[in-house]
Amino acid sequence: MSGSKPLPVVSVQPTRGLVDEKFKVTVQNLLPGEEVTLHALIHSEDGDYWEAFAHYVSDAAGEVKVAEDASVGGSYQGTEPMGLLWSMKPVPGSRTGLRLRKKDVSTPMVVQISVYRGHISRGFKETSPLACAVAERWYTAPGVRRVDIEEKGVRGTLFLPPGPGPFPGVLDMWGGGGGLVEYRSALLASHGYVSMALEYMTPKTMPSGKDSYVGHQYFETAFAVLRDHPQVCSDRVAMLGLSFGTSVALAMAVYSSLIEPSCLVCVSGSHVQPVKGSLSDVFAEINKNVHRTRYDEEKRVIWRDLLLPIPSDPTKKVDVGKIRCPLLLIVGEDDQNWPTSESAEDMKKMMKEGGNSHLLTTLSYPGAGHLIEPPYTPHFRSSNFMVAQTREKVVVLWGGETKAHSYAQEHSWQRTLAFLRQHLYKSDRSNL
Amino acid sequence: MQGSFLCHSHWGALRQLLGLSVVRARLNKKTVWLHCMMGTMRQRSSCSPAPLLMAMPTRALMDEPIMLEARHLPPHCPITIRARMRSEDGDLWEALAHYHADGRGVVNLSRDEAQGGSYTGREPMGLFWSLLPAPGEREGLRLRKRNVETPFTVRVSLLRGHVLPPTALGCSRDARGRDTQVQEEELAAVTLERWYMAPGVRRVAIREGGVVGTLFLPPGPGPFPVVLDLWGMGGGLVEYRSALLASQGFASLALAYFGHRDIPGPLHRINVGDAYFLPRCVIGINGPMGSMNKLVDFGGKGESFQEDQKHWSYDEEGYVSFRGVSLPANIPPDHMVKIEDLRCPLLLIVGEDDLSCAAMENADKIEEGLQAAGKSHLITRLSYPGAGHLIEPPYSPNARSSLWSTRPTKLITLWGGHLGPHAYAQEHSWKKILEFLDRHLRGGS
């Protein structure tokens, strides 16, 4: 019956997965020891193409299993089950300074996976592949509900898991730039948390003009809106912040008398800020040091020195020795945007002195940059950025080396989910 | 949302209202909400989060296993997992099973054994193949999807205690069979999508050269091996198996050859001949060697099925079995396929409880004929005790009987097959079919 050459086939399992779920890519019906290239392609919402490729050699059974076999060249090397996703870069000829972010979480990212004969590194568009498969990557599980929040002056998006609840809640705060980012909250809801992506650094949340950022009342109200939602367990609400979001979370946890988070996850942030100030005060303080901005050889902006040196003056940093709930601190040691490693060191010291270091867990990742996000999406060392106050367009250096940064994203996300599970689901609070 | 738009000063009053309405719906949470009614906005009542029901993947192909797990339950507590979905025609289908959480408060359907309900034992996909129409739905239903470009949506719920399926009156019953007024309590839920088409598969309607069918193509430039997908005397154009095959990398043409309005000729006759089909390797599922009904010859003459009825039999409920029609003794010898002329591998799949076709007897005859011709090496036979006629892709429910026709009289026909063994037959045979196609069409090992 055969005598003709076997017909290769590539498969992905699952074909439709969540963004933080692993998948298995398998090529079958090759000849033994055959050289092939696996290629992944995404067409982003912004119209750009991102791609990754890897060189494999089939085994004696004529198969390549990306989850088990080693890539011998390409966008990544070695055994990297999810490398085809996290090592993606814009295709040659693309615009510069790109960042892959999904705005509409109700549709998936669609990844086209192709297998080509031989070890090739270019010309994927012009060459005909041996076989193709398509995978969808979703931020929302089916049944997750999205609700626009505009309540008591608070703006944001609420994501609710399916089912009656009640559920623990997470107040999800991004940093500066990029508008309201929903995908992390959508993912958290897919894991069983009512999650509110809070808008707080956009024109719509600036009460009167470009320099008036919101103050502590805004965040207290936001926390209360989430806590008092009928499907939220009011004594199980966490705060999760990235970058400026960390500043907010730490300040609220220590200084607010109205809210009591169950735990904090602080990613790529710092405790250095004028104590009890509004965000405007924080920016003013940072701006005083704007002369400390550095540039790398490609004129990309390095802002990490603006908060250095870590002050010893207690009025200039959040007194983390007074934190009363568990704190998970996540930092990238190659962060070029904020001095997160130095801050983490100082926080550790302050908590030791304050007698609450048992509440602190620090995850420090060599080679990781500033934007430690949910896993399996491409890393980029720098990207275009618009400075909110001046509307100036720059290219900001975030830092990180792709493989180390992608490892940090995968590991820290798993630990974040485990931390939230531990403190929001498992802990017994019946005697509170 | 309740409470979202009232200002601060009305908050306490609203909480009382909220508390009242929630007390009615969730008796076990009564204590919690009473605390809320008495408190101010600052007071935090002790609130246990609901247990979590998780699935992976939440969007699956129909032939893909789904892992279901419930967490954060009280250790060893009894629970029920229930699947509910509506067919395209709006009928409600459901299945449920009883479990106990382990010492860590976890129930995992891939690991644990069901103690009762729609199935028992360790059945990771039991909720899907044991689905039955809910009481009160129409009779004679069969769960089949017409539009394969959209998924089935299934709501899987975690219920407190061991709940029995509701009676026809719509009341719940507790485990001792007593009617109660308490609605079963849903603790958690997850929504699943089950797809016949993988992303990237293309669906192409074919109406050319007299051929009526739908072609499903995998993503990519090809070329692809092709499967010619043929159904039985139910007629029409059934697409879902082809959609699944394309999702596995085979181009698949679902072919209509009988009972389709786009095929010229009367609907109740077979109006196509040998030249309509182009076989290569063959998979036969519960089929006869021959039929009382010939395919039309080149002269365009066909036959109808009135002659069949003398071989029909009826059970005590008046359901009809067509099995007698295909007993070898009842098939005219000149209508029999000349099996000795077979030139390609044949995979023969047989349900031993097939009440619609004499599958076993025909399979015996096929094997005998091939052996006599020295061609036993061509045949692989898979025989499944307890499986019925409708051996289809896995993880969907078997219909032991279903509505066959409404005119001239309403007839319900028997297909045979018991849920558990039939589910096993579907799961096992589908794997074997995909391996067989891979070997003979792709040259796989």
Side-chain angles (χ1 to χ4, degrees):
Chain A
M1 203 42 40
S2 43
S4 51
K5 231 175 147 196
L7 274 177
V9 62
V10 63
S11 60
V12 188
Q13 209 272 324
T15 48
R16 296 175 175 89
L18 290 182
V19 167
D20 61 355
E21 277 171 14
K22 287 187 157 170
F23 64 15
K24 290 197 172 133
V25 176
T26 310
V27 189
Q28 292 168 302
N29 296 340
L30 297 166
L31 297 170
E34 190 171 348
E35 289 184 347
V36 290
T37 302
L38 269 161
H39 181 263
L41 185 73
I42 282 180
H43 190 194
S44 75
E45 278 172 335
D46 302 322
D48 305 297
Y49 286 93
W50 294 67
E51 69 175 4
F53 64 92
H55 298 153
Y56 289 91
V57 181
S58 66
D59 62 15
E63 292 190 356
V64 172
K65 296 191 173 85
V66 175
E68 295 168 23
D69 300 342
S71 157
V72 297
S75 307
Y76 61 89
Q77 288 186 351
T79 303
E80 298 290 355
M82 302 302 288
L84 282 170
L85 292 179
W86 56 249
S87 71
M88 282 185 156
K89 304 277 177 231
V91 300
S94 298
R95 308 178 288 157
T96 57
L98 295 177
R99 191 169 167 175
L100 186 66
R101 306 186 94 177
K102 193 101 179 37
K103 292 214 176 58
D104 180 2
V105 297
S106 66
T107 58
M109 286 198 290
V110 178
V111 188
Q112 175 143 319
I113 297 181
S114 308
V115 59
Y116 293 85
R117 195 179 298 286
H119 285 170
I120 61 175
S121 302
R122 61 183 62 81
F124 295 104
K125 204 165 143 195
E126 297 76 25
T127 315
S128 195
L130 293 172
C132 292
V134 176
E136 288 178 359
R137 309 290 294 170
W138 291 81
Y139 279 104
T140 39
V144 164
R145 292 157 288 158
R146 182 189 174 282
V147 179
D148 284 309
I149 296 290
E150 207 179 318
E151 191 177 324
K152 301 179 185 168
V154 171
R155 297 180 61 90
T157 313
L158 192 68
F159 288 90
L160 294 131
F167 308 98
V170 178
L171 185 64
D172 178 20
M173 297 172 297
W174 282 86
L180 179 58
V181 173
E182 298 187 352
Y183 50 80
R184 194 168 59 185
S185 282
L187 262 189
L188 288 170
S190 304
H191 285 281
Y193 300 93
V194 174
S195 185
M196 181 151 90
L198 183 65
E199 194 175 338
Y200 67 97
M201 274 176 71
T202 64
K204 290 197 185 125
T205 53
M206 294 179 188
S208 41
K210 63 181 169 93
D211 281 332
S212 60
Y213 289 97
V214 292
H216 62 91
Q217 273 169 337
Y218 182 83
F219 299 102
E220 286 169 334
T221 309
F223 189 94
V225 164
L226 177 61
R227 180 195 62 206
D228 297 334
H229 188 283
Q231 279 179 287
V232 172
C233 279
S234 50
D235 60 343
R236 289 167 192 255
V237 180
M239 293 175 92
L240 167 56
L242 176 99
S243 198
F244 268 116
T246 287
S247 311
V248 171
L250 289 171
M252 292 295 112
V254 173
Y255 298 116
S256 172
S257 52
L258 291 181
I259 66 176
E260 228 181 270
S262 307
C263 64
L264 303 173
V265 180
C266 293
V267 186
S268 298
S270 173
H271 61 320
V272 175
Q273 58 183 275
V275 154
K276 294 180 181 176
S278 69
L279 269 185
S280 302
D281 297 327
V282 175
F283 276 111
E285 192 64 29
I286 291 174
N287 279 336
K288 280 189 203 157
N289 290 335
V290 76
H291 57 277
R292 297 219 193 111
T293 303
R294 282 188 287 126
Y295 299 86
D296 72 352
E297 61 283 356
E298 291 175 51
K299 297 209 174 62
R300 298 181 291 197
V301 172
I302 300 170
W303 272 328
R304 74 183 321 273
D305 292 350
L306 267 57
L307 283 179
L308 289 176
I310 306 289
S312 37
D313 178 353
T315 66
K316 294 202 182 278
K317 51 188 183 178
V318 173
D319 189 359
V320 293
K322 293 216 170 69
I323 283 182
R324 293 180 301 276
C325 65
L327 166 61
L328 177 63
L329 213 55
I330 295 169
V331 299
E333 291 172 15
D334 191 43
D335 191 330
Q336 299 298 320
N337 194 244
W338 282 61
T340 50
S341 288
E342 293 90 330
S343 304
E345 271 302 308
D346 194 61
M347 281 195 257
K348 192 165 151 188
K349 237 185 350 203
M350 290 176 77
M351 287 180 78
K352 195 155 175 208
E353 282 160 21
N356 61 351
S357 13
H358 61 285
L359 292 174
L360 175 66
T361 308
T362 307
L363 298 174
S364 182
Y365 296 98
H370 183 68
L371 298 172
I372 301 180
E373 301 203 12
Y376 313 137
T377 47
H379 166 254
F380 36 89
R381 199 163 155 73
S382 61
S383 72
N384 299 328
F385 189 83
M386 174 144 62
V387 182
Q389 302 125 296
T390 62
R391 319 280 300 162
E392 189 196 346
K393 286 186 191 164
V394 297
V395 179
V396 168
L397 188 69
W398 306 110
E401 179 274 310
T402 294
K403 179 167 165 161
H405 190 93
S406 302
Y407 167 76
Q409 294 198 151
E410 182 179 30
H411 188 266
S412 67
W413 184 248
Q414 276 166 14
R415 292 291 299 268
T416 298
L417 292 176
F419 182 81
L420 292 174
R421 214 164 29 236
Q422 178 68 35
H423 296 294
L424 297 182
Y425 266 103
K426 288 190 182 161
S427 72
D428 178 14
R429 293 175 136 65
S430 49
N431 295 321
L432 264 182
Chain B
M1 283 282 137
Q2 307 101 313
S4 295
F5 302 106
L6 295 191
C7 65
H8 196 282
S9 60
H10 290 134
W11 195 250
L14 179 74
R15 295 279 291 222
Q16 298 212 14
L17 284 173
L18 268 180
L20 282 173
S21 63
V22 174
V23 159
R24 237 203 319 277
R26 298 208 216 136
L27 299 176
N28 71 313
K29 295 276 191 288
K30 188 173 174 180
T31 318
V32 174
W33 286 103
L34 278 174
H35 284 167
C36 291
M37 281 196 276
M38 293 185 294
T40 64
M41 189 145 83
R42 262 224 70 190
Q43 177 177 342
R44 253 166 305 296
S45 46
S46 162
C47 159
S48 285
L52 206 53
L53 184 59
M54 304 293 285
M56 194 184 295
T58 43
R59 296 175 175 90
L61 289 176
M62 287 295 292
D63 62 354
E64 188 174 4
I66 296 174
M67 195 276 296
L68 279 160
E69 184 172 283
R71 293 185 210 140
H72 311 303
L73 289 162
H76 309 297
C77 79
I79 51 99
T80 301
I81 308 254
R82 179 186 66 199
R84 260 189 182 167
M85 55 162 286
R86 287 211 177 262
S87 69
E88 279 165 328
D89 299 323
D91 307 297
L92 182 66
W93 290 68
E94 62 180 22
L96 54 75
H98 301 151
Y99 293 89
H100 279 92
D102 66 10
R104 286 167 44 241
V106 171
V107 174
N108 182 305
L109 266 58
S110 303
R111 173 197 73 177
D112 299 342
E113 300 200 358
Q115 282 108 46
S118 307
Y119 59 88
T120 53
R122 191 183 79 87
E123 297 291 353
M125 294 297 282
L127 283 176
F128 306 104
W129 55 249
S130 69
L131 285 167
L132 287 173
E137 296 292 344
R138 304 175 290 157
E139 59 170 336
L141 292 177
R142 195 169 152 186
L143 187 63
R144 308 186 90 183
K145 199 150 199 324
R146 281 188 299 276
N147 177 2
V148 297
E149 292 178 301
T150 58
F152 276 135
T153 300
V154 185
R155 185 179 175 98
V156 181
S157 304
L158 176 66
L159 308 175
R160 185 187 292 281
H162 285 171
V163 169
L164 293 179
T167 64
L169 296 169
C171 299
S172 284
R173 275 205 247 130
D174 65 17
R176 294 205 199 110
R178 300 172 297 194
D179 279 352
T180 78
Q181 285 307 306
V182 177
Q183 282 283 86
E184 75 246 338
E185 188 195 348
E186 186 191 55
L187 300 174
V190 71
T191 302
L192 305 178
E193 289 178 2
R194 300 187 68 213
W195 293 80
Y196 277 105
M197 271 173 75
V201 167
R202 294 157 287 165
R203 177 183 175 277
V204 182
I206 302 286
R207 301 287 186 278
E208 59 185 276
V211 173
V212 175
T214 310
L215 179 64
F216 289 88
L217 289 163
F224 306 107
V226 184
V227 176
L228 200 61
D229 179 22
L230 301 164
W231 290 81
M233 294 305 290
L237 179 51
V238 179
E239 296 188 358
Y240 52 84
R241 192 167 57 189
S242 282
L244 265 187
L245 287 169
S247 303
Q248 298 281 350
F250 299 98
S252 185
L253 177 62
L255 191 64
Y257 62 91
F258 165 71
H260 192 285
R261 63 173 189 276
D262 291 350
I263 298 177
L267 279 173
H268 61 286
R269 289 173 188 251
I270 298 178
N271 303 311
V272 302
D274 271 347
Y276 193 70
F277 306 96
L278 308 144
R280 183 150 181 208
C281 73
V282 178
I283 298 165
I285 303 177
N286 286 331
M289 273 185 83
S291 172
M292 292 206 66
N293 313 294
K294 275 183 103 152
L295 299 175
V296 72
D297 60 22
F298 283 107
K301 288 189 294 223
E303 288 171 26
S304 67
F305 312 119
Q306 310 305 346
E307 307 260 308
D308 279 358
Q309 295 196 30
K310 61 181 187 256
H311 296 301
W312 293 2
S313 63
Y314 296 84
D315 70 0
E316 58 278 1
E317 287 175 87
Y319 295 174
V320 62
S321 163
F322 300 139
R323 199 174 184 284
V325 175
S326 53
L327 277 169
N330 293 334
I331 302 174
D334 61 320
H335 287 205
M336 293 282 215
V337 162
K338 293 190 179 52
I339 196 66
E340 60 273 15
D341 291 345
L342 182 70
R343 285 185 302 265
C344 66
L346 166 66
L347 175 65
L348 210 54
I349 293 167
V350 173
E352 292 178 12
D353 189 42
D354 189 337
L355 298 179
S356 186
C357 170
M360 280 199 296
E361 291 86 339
N362 278 278
D364 289 341
K365 270 217 113 51
I366 291 173
E367 275 195 303
E368 281 164 26
L370 285 174
Q371 186 163 45
K375 291 184 178 178
S376 303
H377 62 282
L378 287 178
I379 187 173
T380 309
R381 175 174 173 167
L382 300 173
S383 196
Y384 297 99
H389 184 69
L390 304 171
I391 299 181
E392 298 201 3
Y395 312 136
S396 50
N398 175 49
R400 192 169 167 76
S401 62
S402 76
L403 192 66
W404 175 253
S405 64
T406 47
R407 290 198 223 114
T409 52
K410 178 173 144 186
L411 261 188
I412 290 185
T413 189
L414 286 163
W415 304 109
H418 302 279
L419 278 178
H422 193 96
Y424 170 76
Q426 295 195 152
E427 184 178 22
H428 188 266
S429 65
W430 184 247
K431 279 201 194 76
K432 292 294 176 190
I433 287 169
L434 294 175
E435 280 168 17
F436 184 80
L437 290 173
D438 187 58
R439 191 160 60 245
H440 295 293
L441 297 186
R442 287 202 196 110
S445 49

